[in-house]
Amino acid sequence: MTIQPMTGPDDTLATDLTARAAVVAAVAALHAEAVDRDGRFPEEAVAALKSQRLLGAAVPIELGGEGASIRALADICYALGRACASTAMIYAMHQTKVACLTRHGRGDVWRDGLIRRIADEQLLMASSTTEGQGGGNVRSSSAAVETDGESVGLERAATVISYGAQADGVVTVARRNAEAAASDQVLCVFLKEDYTLERLSGWETLGMRGTCSSGFRLVAKGRPEQVLSARYGDVHNQTMTPVSHILWSSAWAGIAASAVDRAQAFTRTAMRGAGGVAPPGALHYARAVSSLKQARALIVQGLDRFEAAGDDAAALAALDFQTAITMLKVEVSELAVAAVSSAMRANGLAGYRQDGAFSVGRALRDILSAPIMIHNDRIVANLATATLMSPVAASLSA
């Protein structure tokens, strides 16, 4: 299966995307407090994403999109993260699904038509990769695709489907057929008219409340073309993991940046009130800045690696690439938590309060989701197993 490259915008388009993202971020920031307080879907921000035509930005030009690069998408996630964490995460998950479809699903009339519709109609695609007791183990499925003549069906109990009730479609994973092993998986895509959702659980969480990631029983029926022919293992390694880790990390860095902004404002205000003397929390502000800079640097390195690999399946499957892109999520999530925590300590009681210009409470609650979505311990344990037979480098240049 040929991997379709993620093309990059020219400078003019990149500037335009930045301006359009700023419009959406302003809307998202205006409603972020209500989204968090009420645990509701950020409908205003998503409407703005559609009106600014950012949901289909990465769809290839030949299929009606703008061909935005992964780097451009990361910048958008960062900008949204500074405004509303839930909006940023929704955008990151949507674009990850779009990337899977455009890189591994093209060449079929129905799927090409769907990709065109995502750009033309600004369809919002949800992700459903976890189910049952498997939790975050996305490389194992219980539910299987059932084939009945000219149609396929799927019924799965999903632990979470982020913004499932609000999405226009869902991209999900399942066993290839009833006889397949749990690890023999395929990616499926269904539109809203193809499935029903039965709510199994709610979404009453500390943060990321606007993602509305309830559990659902998904019952879907569609055409055989709605099951991608590509092996899910290839989709996962070549696209889903690198794109999701880069975009999630960018959203988390944006959340951290919003907290550092408030810590900087508080520290400057405190210094002015004390005749230029730094407040006791200034040390923590410096630590917050350092953690954020480290996170941003790691994201840039991840982008460089992914762009250098391009559509080279061997390069994307290489252990060094997989290790780096896997650990990107782990390291940035930890650094983002550290940055926000340091920002709160810099602001003291003003940061701990839920009200006021220097409050960091919402950012802290949102960012605490980062290490457990998918759990860092699971990721590191899997990576340790994968690297056991790899020799340790004998020199710095090896």
Side-chain angles (χ1 to χ4, degrees):
M1 170 62 68
T2 301
I3 307 170
Q4 299 291 339
M6 292 187 73
T7 55
D10 57 29
D11 290 342
T12 301
L13 178 55
T15 301
D16 183 50
L17 289 171
T18 299
R20 285 150 58 190
V23 172
V24 178
V27 174
L30 186 64
H31 298 280
E33 184 177 343
V35 166
D36 174 67
R37 181 187 63 242
D38 301 334
R40 68 168 178 82
F41 182 68
E43 57 188 29
E44 300 88 354
V46 172
L49 283 169
K50 292 184 177 185
S51 68
Q52 294 296 317
R53 305 198 63 76
L54 289 176
L55 292 183
V59 169
I61 294 171
E62 60 269 26
L63 291 178
E66 297 175 89
S69 68
I70 181 68
R71 196 174 295 265
L73 298 180
D75 281 337
I76 294 171
C77 287
Y78 183 78
L80 295 177
R82 297 182 74 163
C84 172
S86 293
T87 300
M89 192 53 59
I90 288 168
Y91 191 72
M93 288 188 281
H94 164 81
Q95 291 298 350
T96 299
K97 299 301 113 177
V98 173
C100 291
L101 293 174
T102 58
R103 282 166 62 86
H104 301 274
R106 290 169 60 182
D108 169 81
V109 174
W110 187 90
R111 291 195 296 270
D112 283 355
L114 170 61
I115 296 168
R116 286 185 180 277
R117 286 187 63 190
I118 291 173
D120 293 343
E121 302 173 32
Q122 294 293 293
L123 300 182
L124 177 64
M125 306 303 293
S127 170
S128 178
T129 55
T130 59
E131 63 180 323
Q133 300 303 312
N137 185 8
V138 298
R139 294 306 312 276
S140 178
S141 291
S142 298
V145 174
E146 300 285 349
T147 302
D148 181 14
E150 293 301 311
S151 67
V152 295
L154 176 65
E155 180 175 343
R156 70 194 304 270
T159 310
V160 296
I161 303 181
S162 295
Y163 56 98
Q166 295 81 16
D168 299 304
V170 62
V171 180
T172 188
V173 64
R175 284 189 293 141
R176 186 176 299 277
N177 53 55
E179 290 72 42
S183 59
D184 184 7
Q185 299 163 286
V186 289
L187 205 65
C188 313
V189 55
F190 298 103
L191 292 172
K192 202 159 193 171
E193 58 267 26
D194 299 326
Y195 59 83
T196 60
L197 294 175
E198 175 193 349
R199 190 181 298 273
L200 300 177
S201 61
W203 184 246
E204 184 61 36
T205 52
L206 280 173
M208 290 294 181
R209 292 166 55 77
T211 62
C212 299
S213 302
S214 299
F216 293 95
R217 183 177 305 282
L218 170 72
V219 180
K221 188 170 185 179
R223 305 155 56 105
E225 304 95 301
Q226 292 175 245
V227 179
L228 275 65
S229 57
R231 291 180 58 253
Y232 176 68
D234 293 336
V235 178
H236 180 272
N237 292 336
Q238 297 166 4
T239 301
M240 188 176 293
T241 293
V243 172
S244 65
H245 285 196
I246 289 169
L247 298 187
W248 290 350
S249 295
S250 300
W252 295 329
I255 298 168
S258 72
V260 173
D261 276 340
R262 295 193 174 205
Q264 183 185 70
F266 176 84
T267 303
R268 287 176 172 175
T269 300
M271 288 183 70
R272 284 196 298 269
V277 178
L283 171 64
H284 296 293
Y285 166 66
R287 287 174 173 166
V289 170
S290 176
S291 295
L292 177 58
K293 285 185 175 180
Q294 291 178 64
R296 287 168 53 93
L298 286 171
I299 294 167
V300 171
Q301 290 174 18
L303 283 164
D304 291 343
R305 282 179 177 271
F306 186 56
E307 290 177 341
D311 57 356
D312 185 338
L316 291 164
L319 184 59
D320 282 353
F321 175 82
Q322 287 294 316
T323 299
I325 210 69
T326 296
M327 287 304 295
L328 173 67
K329 184 271 177 185
V330 175
E331 292 168 343
V332 172
S333 66
E334 300 287 356
L335 285 166
V337 170
V340 178
S341 298
S342 293
M344 175 168 283
R345 295 185 68 180
N347 289 14
L349 182 59
Y352 186 72
R353 292 176 62 99
Q354 288 284 70
D355 57 354
F358 305 122
S359 173
V360 186
R362 173 157 53 86
L364 182 61
R365 287 187 289 105
D366 286 331
I367 205 62
L368 287 175
S369 70
I372 60 175
M373 172 215 138
I374 299 164
H375 207 297
N376 284 356
D377 291 348
R378 180 195 293 274
I379 291 175
V380 174
N382 290 342
L383 185 61
T385 301
T387 57
L388 275 175
M389 302 307 295
S390 178
V392 178
S395 68
L396 290 175
S397 58

